[in-house]
Amino acid sequence: MAPQGTTTVAALTATLRDRILNGDLAPGTRLIERAIVEEYEVASVTARSALARLSAEGLVVTESHRGARVAALDQEALHDLFALRTALEVEAARIALAERPDGLDGELGEAIAALTRACRAKRVVWRRVVDAHEEVHRALVDAARSPRISAAHSALAGELRLFVVALRPVWSPEEMVAHHETLRRELQTEGPEAIRRHLAEGEHAVAG
């Protein structure tokens, strides 16, 4: 059993993570340690540890003398993120389609089914949509069976989550489902270029 302090840190981290991914704490929102201590009735060391964990995940930015805030993707960061993401996902799709197309389609299909369930739930919780979206693209990348590509893509996880949070006011849950069902179909008919178009559409949706 984990020590009580560790359990408290994990619980606070999960609570703050959910609030960020649900959009309750908007990008750029200051996360004041004293306010967290008072609101959640935790020790200062617990608040600092939770913020440090979220910083490691890329969801929080901590600056010297300025404290912590919810991370945000500006236009330049979004463009750079998608340039790298496109390189990794297009190459992963190329490998998977060449070496194990049925495996790619099956694994992607299962992940999209989970995304569909999250998007069509009686009460849509955006954090669950964020998680399910992450699994769709992880399935795509992991289908290439390239540990290096998968590791490089995993390093983008925090920023990718922030991107899906930014999609919330732009795309409805049904649009999210349709976008990924189209991707699955077009991968079979058009190959890796379907990924390039899919990602460009997502970037443009957020960039405006």
Side-chain angles (χ1 to χ4, degrees):
M1 181 179 294
Q4 182 61 39
T6 301
T7 302
T8 304
V9 171
L12 178 60
T13 302
T15 297
L16 293 175
R17 182 190 298 113
D18 284 355
R19 293 191 66 192
I20 292 170
L21 297 182
N22 280 326
D24 299 330
L25 294 171
T29 300
R30 290 187 65 203
L31 299 170
I32 302 170
E33 182 183 311
R34 183 179 65 257
I36 293 173
V37 167
E38 293 175 356
E39 180 175 356
Y40 296 100
E41 298 181 345
V42 296
S44 293
V45 66
T46 299
R48 284 194 297 273
S49 296
L51 291 174
R53 291 189 182 188
L54 293 169
S55 178
E57 293 177 18
L59 297 178
V60 166
V61 174
T62 303
E63 299 172 323
S64 180
H65 306 302
R66 299 186 66 179
R69 58 180 171 79
V70 177
L73 285 174
D74 60 23
Q75 294 281 9
E76 183 178 357
L78 180 68
H79 183 71
D80 287 348
L81 168 65
F82 270 75
L84 179 53
R85 186 182 179 191
T86 299
L88 294 171
E89 295 193 23
V90 168
E91 179 61 11
R94 185 193 67 78
I95 294 170
L97 285 168
E99 298 181 359
R100 47 190 310 273
D102 291 341
L104 168 62
D105 186 60
E107 291 155 20
L108 194 58
E110 289 179 8
I112 292 174
L115 175 63
T116 300
R117 288 192 295 274
C119 288
R120 292 179 177 165
K122 184 173 293 187
R123 187 175 78 86
V124 176
V125 178
W126 199 254
R127 187 264 302 164
R128 294 175 184 163
V129 175
V130 172
D131 290 344
H133 176 272
E134 184 175 334
E135 291 302 318
V136 169
H137 287 272
R138 179 176 293 136
L140 168 67
V141 170
D142 287 353
R145 298 293 192 264
S146 169
R148 287 194 173 188
I149 293 178
S150 291
H153 193 268
S154 292
L156 305 177
E159 289 176 292
L160 291 178
R161 288 178 154 214
L162 291 174
F163 157 71
V164 183
V165 171
L167 271 179
R168 184 181 184 185
V170 181
W171 278 358
S172 69
E174 279 301 323
E175 286 174 308
M176 179 74 81
V177 171
H179 191 56
H180 288 84
E181 288 178 339
T182 298
L183 169 64
R184 183 186 178 192
R185 288 195 305 271
E186 292 182 348
L187 269 174
Q188 299 302 312
T189 59
E190 301 179 25
E193 285 305 304
I195 289 285
R196 194 182 303 278
R197 183 169 57 255
H198 173 88
L199 296 180
E201 289 170 355
E203 180 183 358
H204 292 157
V206 170

